Amino acid sequence: TIVQDEVVIDASALFGGVDLQVPENWNVSVEGHGIFGGYEDKTMHAMPESARPRVVITGSAVFGGVVVKN
């Protein structure tokens, strides 16, 4: 459970991987980037943009991967 309206999670991977699992009722915005790797958003986006809580995922994946899913 998140008590704030918005939180930022910095998820970075270097020669490895990060899997983040979030509840379906969270509004997720993935703003990370990949350099010889991948930053992938596999969440369902059925919620309106005004839904709370809003979770912003930032960071980078260098020779690795970050996957956000629910």
Side-chain angles (χ1 to χ4, degrees):
T1 304
I2 295 177
V3 295
Q4 297 94 348
D5 283 342
E6 181 173 307
V7 295
V8 177
I9 298 174
D10 183 31
S12 297
L14 178 64
F15 293 103
V18 175
D19 288 331
L20 291 172
Q21 190 165 356
V22 297
E24 291 182 10
N25 62 337
W26 287 9
N27 181 4
V28 178
S29 174
V30 177
E31 299 176 0
H33 59 277
I35 302 168
F36 296 109
Y39 220 94
E40 193 170 359
D41 180 6
K42 291 186 172 182
T43 59
M44 300 168 67
H45 294 278
M47 300 296 294
E49 288 296 318
S50 62
R52 295 289 186 234
R54 181 171 188 263
V55 179
V56 180
I57 312 293
T58 63
S60 59
V62 182
F63 293 105
V66 175
V67 177
V68 182
K69 56 187 169 185
N70 40 19

